[in-house]
Amino acid sequence: MSPANILTLALSKGRIFEETLPLLEAAGVEVKDDPESSRKLILETSRPDLRIIIVRATDVPTYVQYGAADFGIAGRDVLYEHTASHPGGLYQPIDLNIARCRLCVAVREGFDYHAAVRQGSRLRVATKYIRAAREHFAEKGVHVDLIKLYGSMELAPLVGLADAIVDLVSTGNTLKANNLVAVEDVADISSRMIVNRAALKTRGLLLRPFLDAFSRASTEA
Ligand code: AMP
């Protein structure tokens, strides 16, 4: 558990951290370190009652669920996979509308995905997002063998590991650089605030002002 009078917020480096900074600012909080240049994993803030821990995006729900962080910010993609193995464990009060992107099916340029689907071919699909991919293809009645990867999904169709990938697409630059094209949307993604259920009960007085400020700042943005 985090110390009794200090709140712990779990964030991941990169887009989520950067897009959370303005929300923290709106709540009157300045972060004292930059996780891109510092190796510190616990960052102090201008508020003595709030610290930030830097963890992998996929670990944010785990830290919050077990109470090592009181609250955190995680993408809908990550939360969907996490709740498959931990249903009902997290309170998700606010869609912050940050780190927006799309979860897409993508293939090599020149691969006729729609023809393959029409012909009922069995497709090999590489992804980090097994649950989202399984449900997407099941709904469409497409037969797939899913291959779990942990990163660099774009490589899989290029070296014959898979016919397609399910991955996040923001600008589309990564797909383009690897001669891949998006052929189908799976879901719109943005990041949500998640809160430890026990912390909400026992430390609600500390937490509420932050939840309210984040909520106001994200709807105003
Ligand atoms: P882009 O080239 O802008 O389309 O970004 C695609 C790459 O960034 C892929 O490797 C994605 O996995 C990753 N990515 C894009 N948006 C996000 C996001 N909101 N959160 C985490 N990763 C992302």
Side-chain angles (χ1 to χ4, degrees):
M1 276 304 229
S2 61
N5 51 354
I6 299 179
L7 287 176
T8 303
L9 170 66
L11 295 178
S12 53
K13 276 207 270 195
R15 266 187 82 177
I16 287 184
F17 182 84
E18 280 152 28
E19 295 189 27
T20 301
L21 283 180
L23 303 182
L24 284 166
E25 231 166 77
V29 177
E30 198 189 313
V31 186
K32 295 211 168 152
D33 278 297
D34 174 3
E36 295 301 333
S37 55
S38 162
R39 286 173 184 264
K40 279 191 190 169
L41 298 175
I42 301 180
L43 310 182
E44 285 176 21
T45 73
S46 54
R47 295 270 306 251
D49 56 353
L50 179 71
R51 65 179 186 174
I52 292 172
I53 59 170
I54 300 296
V55 300
R56 272 189 84 125
T58 43
D59 290 335
V60 168
T62 306
Y63 277 84
V64 175
Q65 177 138 19
Y66 287 95
D70 300 291
F71 59 147
I73 297 178
R76 206 179 135 214
D77 49 326
V78 165
L79 288 169
Y80 199 63
E81 301 301 315
H82 179 86
T83 49
S85 44
H86 304 83
L90 290 164
Y91 176 54
Q92 302 184 25
I94 317 166
D95 184 347
L96 297 172
N97 269 314
I98 60 169
R100 296 190 69 90
C101 58
R102 291 173 303 138
L103 188 63
C104 293
V105 181
V107 299
R108 248 186 13 251
E109 260 170 35
F111 178 83
D112 195 340
Y113 169 77
H114 297 289
V117 166
R118 267 197 311 275
Q119 286 157 14
S121 310
R122 196 170 183 94
L123 295 175
R124 274 199 305 182
V125 179
T127 188
K128 190 153 83 169
Y129 307 103
I130 293 287
R131 180 187 181 192
R134 184 185 300 118
E135 290 180 6
H136 174 75
F137 292 113
E139 250 169 46
K140 294 180 59 81
V142 177
H143 302 290
V144 290
D145 290 318
L146 295 174
I147 301 172
K148 168 90 183 179
L149 288 179
Y150 293 87
S152 301
M153 261 92 75
E154 294 87 357
L155 188 60
L158 306 181
V159 294
L161 178 64
D163 304 302
I165 59 172
V166 170
D167 195 9
L168 300 178
V169 180
S170 178
T171 60
N173 290 342
T174 309
L175 290 184
K176 203 183 275 174
N178 291 293
N179 300 318
L180 301 174
V181 285
V183 286
E184 213 161 67
D185 277 353
V186 175
D188 282 329
I189 302 295
S190 56
S191 290
R192 301 188 71 91
M193 168 79 81
I194 52 173
V195 184
N196 176 272
R197 285 182 184 277
L200 197 62
K201 288 201 189 105
T202 58
R203 317 166 93 187
L205 280 179
L206 271 178
L207 263 169
R208 276 283 169 209
F210 287 107
L211 303 191
D212 292 345
F214 276 40
S215 173
R216 264 197 313 275
S218 67
T219 49
E220 280 162 10

PDB file of all heavy atoms in Angstrom, residues 71-93:
ATOM      1  N   PHE A  71      -4.357   5.301  -7.859  1.00  0.00           N
ATOM      2  CA  PHE A  71      -5.022   5.524  -9.134  1.00  0.00           C
ATOM      3  C   PHE A  71      -3.987   5.539 -10.248  1.00  0.00           C
ATOM      4  O   PHE A  71      -2.772   5.564  -9.999  1.00  0.00           O
ATOM      5  CB  PHE A  71      -5.921   6.769  -9.118  1.00  0.00           C
ATOM      6  CG  PHE A  71      -5.271   8.089  -8.813  1.00  0.00           C
ATOM      7  CD1 PHE A  71      -5.754   9.258  -9.406  1.00  0.00           C
ATOM      8  CD2 PHE A  71      -4.212   8.212  -7.937  1.00  0.00           C
ATOM      9  CE1 PHE A  71      -5.188  10.494  -9.131  1.00  0.00           C
ATOM     10  CE2 PHE A  71      -3.635   9.440  -7.655  1.00  0.00           C
ATOM     11  CZ  PHE A  71      -4.127  10.577  -8.254  1.00  0.00           C
ATOM     12  N   GLY A  72      -4.469   5.483 -11.479  1.00  0.00           N
ATOM     13  CA  GLY A  72      -3.546   5.412 -12.608  1.00  0.00           C
ATOM     14  C   GLY A  72      -4.276   5.784 -13.886  1.00  0.00           C
ATOM     15  O   GLY A  72      -5.485   6.022 -13.883  1.00  0.00           O
ATOM     16  N   ILE A  73      -3.506   5.833 -14.974  1.00  0.00           N
ATOM     17  CA  ILE A  73      -4.107   6.145 -16.274  1.00  0.00           C
ATOM     18  C   ILE A  73      -3.648   5.082 -17.257  1.00  0.00           C
ATOM     19  O   ILE A  73      -2.447   4.795 -17.377  1.00  0.00           O
ATOM     20  CB  ILE A  73      -3.713   7.561 -16.732  1.00  0.00           C
ATOM     21  CG1 ILE A  73      -4.294   8.565 -15.725  1.00  0.00           C
ATOM     22  CG2 ILE A  73      -4.231   7.831 -18.140  1.00  0.00           C
ATOM     23  CD1 ILE A  73      -3.955  10.007 -16.000  1.00  0.00           C
ATOM     24  N   ALA A  74      -4.622   4.467 -17.934  1.00  0.00           N
ATOM     25  CA  ALA A  74      -4.297   3.360 -18.837  1.00  0.00           C
ATOM     26  C   ALA A  74      -5.197   3.408 -20.056  1.00  0.00           C
ATOM     27  O   ALA A  74      -6.357   3.844 -19.977  1.00  0.00           O
ATOM     28  CB  ALA A  74      -4.481   2.028 -18.114  1.00  0.00           C
ATOM     29  N   GLY A  75      -4.659   2.959 -21.183  1.00  0.00           N
ATOM     30  CA  GLY A  75      -5.431   2.926 -22.428  1.00  0.00           C
ATOM     31  C   GLY A  75      -6.538   1.882 -22.358  1.00  0.00           C
ATOM     32  O   GLY A  75      -6.426   0.874 -21.654  1.00  0.00           O
ATOM     33  N   ARG A  76      -7.590   2.146 -23.134  1.00  0.00           N
ATOM     34  CA  ARG A  76      -8.708   1.207 -23.179  1.00  0.00           C
ATOM     35  C   ARG A  76      -8.245  -0.163 -23.685  1.00  0.00           C
ATOM     36  O   ARG A  76      -8.762  -1.201 -23.290  1.00  0.00           O
ATOM     37  CB  ARG A  76      -9.772   1.790 -24.118  1.00  0.00           C
ATOM     38  CG  ARG A  76     -11.149   1.311 -23.811  1.00  0.00           C
ATOM     39  CD  ARG A  76     -12.162   1.936 -24.754  1.00  0.00           C
ATOM     40  NE  ARG A  76     -13.052   0.882 -25.205  1.00  0.00           N
ATOM     41  CZ  ARG A  76     -13.597   0.818 -26.399  1.00  0.00           C
ATOM     42  NH1 ARG A  76     -13.341   1.749 -27.298  1.00  0.00           N
ATOM     43  NH2 ARG A  76     -14.382  -0.162 -26.718  1.00  0.00           N
ATOM     44  N   ASP A  77      -7.258  -0.157 -24.582  1.00  0.00           N
ATOM     45  CA  ASP A  77      -6.687  -1.394 -25.115  1.00  0.00           C
ATOM     46  C   ASP A  77      -6.103  -2.243 -23.992  1.00  0.00           C
ATOM     47  O   ASP A  77      -6.396  -3.438 -23.866  1.00  0.00           O
ATOM     48  CB  ASP A  77      -5.592  -1.066 -26.157  1.00  0.00           C
ATOM     49  CG  ASP A  77      -4.585  -0.030 -25.650  1.00  0.00           C
ATOM     50  OD1 ASP A  77      -4.991   0.868 -24.896  1.00  0.00           O
ATOM     51  OD2 ASP A  77      -3.403  -0.132 -26.003  1.00  0.00           O
ATOM     52  N   VAL A  78      -5.309  -1.610 -23.128  1.00  0.00           N
ATOM     53  CA  VAL A  78      -4.664  -2.314 -22.017  1.00  0.00           C
ATOM     54  C   VAL A  78      -5.712  -2.790 -21.010  1.00  0.00           C
ATOM     55  O   VAL A  78      -5.668  -3.917 -20.518  1.00  0.00           O
ATOM     56  CB  VAL A  78      -3.641  -1.360 -21.342  1.00  0.00           C
ATOM     57  CG1 VAL A  78      -3.206  -1.878 -19.991  1.00  0.00           C
ATOM     58  CG2 VAL A  78      -2.444  -1.145 -22.260  1.00  0.00           C
ATOM     59  N   LEU A  79      -6.693  -1.927 -20.726  1.00  0.00           N
ATOM     60  CA  LEU A  79      -7.715  -2.273 -19.737  1.00  0.00           C
ATOM     61  C   LEU A  79      -8.567  -3.441 -20.202  1.00  0.00           C
ATOM     62  O   LEU A  79      -8.943  -4.308 -19.413  1.00  0.00           O
ATOM     63  CB  LEU A  79      -8.612  -1.055 -19.460  1.00  0.00           C
ATOM     64  CG  LEU A  79      -7.899   0.034 -18.659  1.00  0.00           C
ATOM     65  CD1 LEU A  79      -8.725   1.309 -18.636  1.00  0.00           C
ATOM     66  CD2 LEU A  79      -7.629  -0.447 -17.242  1.00  0.00           C
ATOM     67  N   TYR A  80      -8.852  -3.477 -21.490  1.00  0.00           N
ATOM     68  CA  TYR A  80      -9.685  -4.551 -22.033  1.00  0.00           C
ATOM     69  C   TYR A  80      -8.992  -5.907 -21.852  1.00  0.00           C
ATOM     70  O   TYR A  80      -9.617  -6.885 -21.450  1.00  0.00           O
ATOM     71  CB  TYR A  80      -9.946  -4.289 -23.516  1.00  0.00           C
ATOM     72  CG  TYR A  80     -11.126  -5.060 -24.037  1.00  0.00           C
ATOM     73  CD1 TYR A  80     -12.387  -4.818 -23.527  1.00  0.00           C
ATOM     74  CD2 TYR A  80     -10.960  -6.027 -25.018  1.00  0.00           C
ATOM     75  CE1 TYR A  80     -13.482  -5.529 -23.992  1.00  0.00           C
ATOM     76  CE2 TYR A  80     -12.049  -6.735 -25.492  1.00  0.00           C
ATOM     77  CZ  TYR A  80     -13.301  -6.481 -24.972  1.00  0.00           C
ATOM     78  OH  TYR A  80     -14.368  -7.195 -25.424  1.00  0.00           O
ATOM     79  N   GLU A  81      -7.688  -5.945 -22.109  1.00  0.00           N
ATOM     80  CA  GLU A  81      -6.939  -7.198 -21.933  1.00  0.00           C
ATOM     81  C   GLU A  81      -6.824  -7.537 -20.447  1.00  0.00           C
ATOM     82  O   GLU A  81      -6.968  -8.689 -20.054  1.00  0.00           O
ATOM     83  CB  GLU A  81      -5.544  -7.097 -22.556  1.00  0.00           C
ATOM     84  CG  GLU A  81      -5.536  -6.789 -24.046  1.00  0.00           C
ATOM     85  CD  GLU A  81      -6.278  -7.820 -24.905  1.00  0.00           C
ATOM     86  OE1 GLU A  81      -6.091  -9.022 -24.688  1.00  0.00           O
ATOM     87  OE2 GLU A  81      -7.048  -7.398 -25.800  1.00  0.00           O
ATOM     88  N   HIS A  82      -6.597  -6.538 -19.603  1.00  0.00           N
ATOM     89  CA  HIS A  82      -6.426  -6.780 -18.166  1.00  0.00           C
ATOM     90  C   HIS A  82      -7.707  -7.334 -17.542  1.00  0.00           C
ATOM     91  O   HIS A  82      -7.665  -8.283 -16.762  1.00  0.00           O
ATOM     92  CB  HIS A  82      -6.019  -5.477 -17.462  1.00  0.00           C
ATOM     93  CG  HIS A  82      -5.849  -5.627 -15.977  1.00  0.00           C
ATOM     94  ND1 HIS A  82      -4.674  -6.053 -15.395  1.00  0.00           N
ATOM     95  CD2 HIS A  82      -6.716  -5.430 -14.948  1.00  0.00           C
ATOM     96  CE1 HIS A  82      -4.828  -6.111 -14.090  1.00  0.00           C
ATOM     97  NE2 HIS A  82      -6.056  -5.728 -13.787  1.00  0.00           N
ATOM     98  N   THR A  83      -8.845  -6.748 -17.910  1.00  0.00           N
ATOM     99  CA  THR A  83     -10.092  -7.180 -17.259  1.00  0.00           C
ATOM    100  C   THR A  83     -10.509  -8.570 -17.724  1.00  0.00           C
ATOM    101  O   THR A  83     -11.339  -9.203 -17.078  1.00  0.00           O
ATOM    102  CB  THR A  83     -11.246  -6.180 -17.484  1.00  0.00           C
ATOM    103  OG1 THR A  83     -11.305  -5.878 -18.871  1.00  0.00           O
ATOM    104  CG2 THR A  83     -11.054  -4.912 -16.691  1.00  0.00           C
ATOM    105  N   ALA A  84      -9.906  -9.077 -18.791  1.00  0.00           N
ATOM    106  CA  ALA A  84     -10.203 -10.455 -19.202  1.00  0.00           C
ATOM    107  C   ALA A  84      -9.758 -11.410 -18.102  1.00  0.00           C
ATOM    108  O   ALA A  84     -10.441 -12.395 -17.805  1.00  0.00           O
ATOM    109  CB  ALA A  84      -9.471 -10.781 -20.505  1.00  0.00           C
ATOM    110  N   SER A  85      -8.614 -11.121 -17.474  1.00  0.00           N
ATOM    111  CA  SER A  85      -8.126 -12.011 -16.416  1.00  0.00           C
ATOM    112  C   SER A  85      -8.490 -11.523 -15.012  1.00  0.00           C
ATOM    113  O   SER A  85      -8.385 -12.261 -14.049  1.00  0.00           O
ATOM    114  CB  SER A  85      -6.612 -12.209 -16.543  1.00  0.00           C
ATOM    115  OG  SER A  85      -5.986 -10.976 -16.795  1.00  0.00           O
ATOM    116  N   HIS A  86      -8.907 -10.255 -14.883  1.00  0.00           N
ATOM    117  CA  HIS A  86      -9.270  -9.708 -13.559  1.00  0.00           C
ATOM    118  C   HIS A  86     -10.606  -8.985 -13.659  1.00  0.00           C
ATOM    119  O   HIS A  86     -10.662  -7.763 -13.506  1.00  0.00           O
ATOM    120  CB  HIS A  86      -8.223  -8.692 -13.083  1.00  0.00           C
ATOM    121  CG  HIS A  86      -6.832  -9.213 -13.024  1.00  0.00           C
ATOM    122  ND1 HIS A  86      -5.998  -9.281 -14.106  1.00  0.00           N
ATOM    123  CD2 HIS A  86      -6.116  -9.691 -11.979  1.00  0.00           C
ATOM    124  CE1 HIS A  86      -4.833  -9.778 -13.740  1.00  0.00           C
ATOM    125  NE2 HIS A  86      -4.882 -10.041 -12.464  1.00  0.00           N
ATOM    126  N   PRO A  87     -11.713  -9.697 -13.913  1.00  0.00           N
ATOM    127  CA  PRO A  87     -12.971  -8.979 -14.109  1.00  0.00           C
ATOM    128  C   PRO A  87     -13.408  -8.224 -12.849  1.00  0.00           C
ATOM    129  O   PRO A  87     -13.276  -8.729 -11.750  1.00  0.00           O
ATOM    130  CB  PRO A  87     -13.962 -10.100 -14.461  1.00  0.00           C
ATOM    131  CG  PRO A  87     -13.306 -11.370 -14.065  1.00  0.00           C
ATOM    132  CD  PRO A  87     -11.837 -11.155 -14.012  1.00  0.00           C
ATOM    133  N   GLY A  88     -13.885  -7.009 -13.057  1.00  0.00           N
ATOM    134  CA  GLY A  88     -14.494  -6.257 -11.949  1.00  0.00           C
ATOM    135  C   GLY A  88     -13.521  -5.708 -10.922  1.00  0.00           C
ATOM    136  O   GLY A  88     -13.927  -5.165  -9.912  1.00  0.00           O
ATOM    137  N   GLY A  89     -12.228  -5.808 -11.155  1.00  0.00           N
ATOM    138  CA  GLY A  89     -11.270  -5.417 -10.122  1.00  0.00           C
ATOM    139  C   GLY A  89     -11.001  -3.934 -10.023  1.00  0.00           C
ATOM    140  O   GLY A  89     -10.466  -3.480  -9.022  1.00  0.00           O
ATOM    141  N   LEU A  90     -11.354  -3.172 -11.041  1.00  0.00           N
ATOM    142  CA  LEU A  90     -10.956  -1.766 -11.064  1.00  0.00           C
ATOM    143  C   LEU A  90     -12.151  -0.858 -11.275  1.00  0.00           C
ATOM    144  O   LEU A  90     -13.070  -1.188 -12.017  1.00  0.00           O
ATOM    145  CB  LEU A  90      -9.983  -1.526 -12.222  1.00  0.00           C
ATOM    146  CG  LEU A  90      -8.591  -2.129 -12.079  1.00  0.00           C
ATOM    147  CD1 LEU A  90      -7.894  -2.148 -13.424  1.00  0.00           C
ATOM    148  CD2 LEU A  90      -7.775  -1.335 -11.073  1.00  0.00           C
ATOM    149  N   TYR A  91     -12.111   0.291 -10.617  1.00  0.00           N
ATOM    150  CA  TYR A  91     -13.128   1.297 -10.838  1.00  0.00           C
ATOM    151  C   TYR A  91     -12.600   2.239 -11.921  1.00  0.00           C
ATOM    152  O   TYR A  91     -11.466   2.693 -11.846  1.00  0.00           O
ATOM    153  CB  TYR A  91     -13.365   2.021  -9.507  1.00  0.00           C
ATOM    154  CG  TYR A  91     -14.332   3.164  -9.573  1.00  0.00           C
ATOM    155  CD1 TYR A  91     -15.617   2.982 -10.085  1.00  0.00           C
ATOM    156  CD2 TYR A  91     -13.980   4.426  -9.100  1.00  0.00           C
ATOM    157  CE1 TYR A  91     -16.511   4.041 -10.146  1.00  0.00           C
ATOM    158  CE2 TYR A  91     -14.868   5.483  -9.147  1.00  0.00           C
ATOM    159  CZ  TYR A  91     -16.133   5.279  -9.674  1.00  0.00           C
ATOM    160  OH  TYR A  91     -17.005   6.321  -9.732  1.00  0.00           O
ATOM    161  N   GLN A  92     -13.390   2.457 -12.969  1.00  0.00           N
ATOM    162  CA  GLN A  92     -12.934   3.275 -14.112  1.00  0.00           C
ATOM    163  C   GLN A  92     -13.852   4.476 -14.280  1.00  0.00           C
ATOM    164  O   GLN A  92     -14.750   4.463 -15.104  1.00  0.00           O
ATOM    165  CB  GLN A  92     -12.988   2.451 -15.402  1.00  0.00           C
ATOM    166  CG  GLN A  92     -12.180   1.197 -15.370  1.00  0.00           C
ATOM    167  CD  GLN A  92     -12.202   0.478 -16.726  1.00  0.00           C
ATOM    168  OE1 GLN A  92     -12.415   1.077 -17.765  1.00  0.00           O
ATOM    169  NE2 GLN A  92     -11.993  -0.811 -16.695  1.00  0.00           N
ATOM    170  N   PRO A  93     -13.640   5.519 -13.474  1.00  0.00           N
ATOM    171  CA  PRO A  93     -14.641   6.589 -13.466  1.00  0.00           C
ATOM    172  C   PRO A  93     -14.630   7.527 -14.673  1.00  0.00           C
ATOM    173  O   PRO A  93     -15.671   8.056 -15.026  1.00  0.00           O
ATOM    174  CB  PRO A  93     -14.320   7.363 -12.193  1.00  0.00           C
ATOM    175  CG  PRO A  93     -12.876   7.131 -11.955  1.00  0.00           C
ATOM    176  CD  PRO A  93     -12.567   5.776 -12.504  1.00  0.00           C
TER     177      PRO A  93
END
